[in-house]
Amino acid sequence: MSERTPLLHYRLSTSVNESELRAPPTGQVPEEHPVIPRHRVSHSSQPKKLSTFFGVVIPTLLSMFSVVVFLRIGFLVGQSGLYQGIGMFIVAYFIICMTVLSVCAISTNGALDAGGAYYMISRALGPEFGGSIGIMFFLANVCACALYVLGLVEAIVATFGVPEDGALAASSYQVLPSGYWWSLLYATVIALLCLLVCMVGAHIYAKATFLIFLVVMFVLGTIFISFFAVRPRTIILPSSDDSNTMGNATGPTTANFTGFKLETLLGNLWADYTVDYTTGNLMTFATVFAVMFNGCTGIMAGSNMSGDLKNPSYSIPRGTITAVIFTFIIYNLLSVLVACSCDRVLLQKDYSFLRDINVWNPFVTIGVYSSTLSAAMSNLIGASRILYALARDDLFGKVLSPAKKTSNSGNPWVSVLISWFLVQLVLFSGKLNTIASIVTIFFLLVYAAVDLACLALEWASAPNFRPTFRYFTWHTCVLGIVGCAVMMFLINSIYASASIAFMLLLLLLIHYLSPTSSWGYISQALIFHQVRKYLLMLDVRKDHVKFWRPQVLLMVSNPRSSVGLITFINDIKKSGLYVLGHVQLGDLNTLPSDPLQSQYASWLSLVDHLNIKAFVNLTLADSVRHGIQHLLFISGLGGMRPNTLVLGFYDDSLPKDKLSTNHAADVAFLSHDLEQRQTPFHFASLRSNGSAAHDGVHDGKVLGPQEYVAIIADAMKMLKNVVLARHFNSFDRAHALSAASSSPGKSFVFVDVWPVNLLRPDSTSYVDTCSLFLLQLACILNMVRAWRKATLRLFLCVEEGRSVRGLEEKLGQLLKELRIKAQIYPVPWDQQVALHWQRQGNLDKRQSSQSPDIIKKLEQEDEEDYVNSFMSNTARLTDDYLSAVNQLILDQAQPAPAVRFLYLPRPPADTRLYNSYLHQLELLTQDLGPTLLIHGVTPVITTDI
């Protein structure tokens, strides 16, 4: 059953319309169809054709049986010896086997489309990694195609080319001119032949490769027979330059095929690195491994054909594993046979010696031509399919848009042309061994990315990652990544570093320029997995005041009028939790569906648009008060819960739509689909009259002052710090901070702090919990980079008869211990305090003029009123006193501050006094500009280390 599951999944998925597969927006579930993960549906007019054998086994075998098996098996054993040669095969196949396991796991986790490894990586790791690795894989296939073309040219010139040094031709067949430009001409003709075949389409390529496969298998059979059937003989070596012969005046001209001899085997066991006679470069383990590894890079040939396979999820694992096992056996058998029968000189100086020892020389020539030509076509068609997939995914915009064009049969002919053009450019390098290192590093980078994709999916523990191929673990993925990385830098550290840097550059480019994809992001799954683990480790019982930070729940009625407040609170959170809360009135029992689900997209777009680091939490309730209670109870997880509630102030000022006026033109930033631009925000319009609704809690619904103050009291009962923000409707952060940058040497931005309860002039303590909370928030704001140049001004209210200097020194010492840098300004407020005590005198006179019973009753009422009001002293303050204090604050603001921090007293316990309490706060903060009324309930600051 498991073997047929991928096919069943594929048929079901391709039978559903594209519109049905498209994932709905967050929170929107179609009524008729269940949510099905979306994948791109291929052309319905081009049915899948290729089976496992024709689509995977044959292309993979021919890609791996190309240059190495016919032209470089002697080079490998001759330079590195049999021991190191077999060791290289073991290392190389260990790396590719780890990658094959990852490929099999990903390919059996769902239906594949065109693009092979690119499709796997992009759908697993997201567009950034997928696009960057896709480009690297495309370039790897382009360079590999050029490498195989050059290998074929080398074989043709070795057979039919006239010696360059003017020596006599060894046979009558050597009639072709030799030299760099002639070789380039031959390579161009071969590349054109590959182009013609690939332009016809994959089905013609598959038929051609089957014939080539039969030829290659027959030639391999003759090679194995030749080792046993051919008698020992002396072979004339190809001519070489004197400069390439390690100091000898003339190099050896002949070498021996000895047949099976122990002496020959012993002479070929150990490494003997010499100069490569085709390039003149001294070989090393790394350079030989780079050439040898090109015989292992064909494992993706079948994956590249994923768009043309009947059942990719079934064919890719079985076909790839079969080809890998078969080639490993053949390579090692050939290495042993070569080491036992050919002397070292023959292996080092004649890369085409298999032709000379074959039962019939043209057999090997035909095999070389067939395999290299097939490998070149395989890589060319693979490169074109990858480029077509990249273009179709729109990761690079209009740059690759021409590559989307296809013929009537679905063949991406423009991608084939672009790939062929790049292959032609690479052919100018001239020599196979010159580009071998680059090709190998590119493929190793792609293999590492495939292993990384599988590792990420495994570590993310996503329920939907359940491949039918289970012969892999995260250990195999890690081993594959490490092996690829080590071999990359071992081969050529400069090329490896450059390729990784280029990939990272592409990653950043795609991250900032490409549209949002619907494939899913593995980063989100990994982040979720890690965050859940760390949230469980975040123990609230281990909280300490030294590590306290503000974790803010900002209640927003309508973001259109709260842009200034939202951005300001983002500055004051100090890397803490920041939640935007919103309450919508309603009853789910009377609604057909949850109205909040459709609003999340607009709120998340707002967070992106304002470039703030905040979460969004929406709730539905029968009243604003109950809604805020819900959010205070349930917002956050574990130790990450809001400890501070921020509300907009309750007044009748008309809100201003800062969102539409400042950002209405910036739609493209939020609408990633440029062809279907829509309005980014769907928030309600603002009220146009002085209704009872207020800014900051809920707009469009009536919220009375009683309920507003009750919300403040509820938060304090829940031990939440409370901040009331007034006059932030017109707050412009950029304008407020512009004065700081206008003069480099001096700042004109001020933050005023009044850490005294102005509603209790008879209590002027500066060291209670609430006043220290004010100082802490002001200091946090001053630590933000944008506000670092602002100056904190701390106002010390003193009465006549008290030692001003003593109080100032005491407060300065406290600031020093708290490591807070602020300027202290003593403010005499005798006149304002006198108005307060005058009120108390009037109360005494009123009591003395009454009868004893009435006096006793008034005293009881006053006492009860005073007790119930706690620290607010609500019933004992006059409007004259509050207006005088308000004017006192205004008189000290020279120049005017960017924001003020004032002490917020507790609401009275008597709910009948809520209106008076709110009225007093309104008089206190009238015309003050952006002001925060703050009340802290828990200690947040310490002098300890």
Side-chain angles (χ1 to χ4, degrees), residues 183-204:
S183 297
L184 181 62
L185 176 62
Y186 305 149
T188 302
V189 173
I190 296 171
L192 282 172
L193 177 62
C194 296
L195 173 65
L196 292 177
V197 174
C198 295
M199 288 292 285
V200 175
H203 60 289
I204 297 298

Side-chain angles (χ1 to χ4, degrees), residues 1-10 99-113 116 119-120 303 306 311-321 450 454 457-458 463-472:
M1 182 65 184
S2 61
E3 296 181 355
R4 300 179 60 185
T5 301
L7 179 58
L8 176 62
H9 172 76
Y10 175 77
T99 305
V100 166
L101 295 179
S102 300
V103 170
C104 295
I106 297 175
S107 63
T108 59
N109 191 52
L112 285 178
D113 206 338
Y119 189 89
M120 299 178 193
S303 302
S306 58
N311 188 352
S313 298
Y314 178 87
S315 299
I316 290 177
R318 289 160 178 80
T320 305
I321 292 176
V450 173
C454 189
L457 289 169
E458 179 71 8
N464 281 322
F465 182 63
R466 43 180 184 270
T468 57
F469 182 87
R470 298 301 304 169
Y471 300 102
F472 80 100

Side-chain angles (χ1 to χ4, degrees), residues 165 239-251 274-282 349:
D165 57 1
S239 58
S240 59
D241 295 338
D242 294 342
S243 59
N244 296 345
T245 56
M246 295 295 289
N248 296 330
T250 57
T274 61
V275 169
D276 173 23
Y277 74 92
T278 63
T279 61
N281 298 325
L282 179 63
K349 299 303 179 181

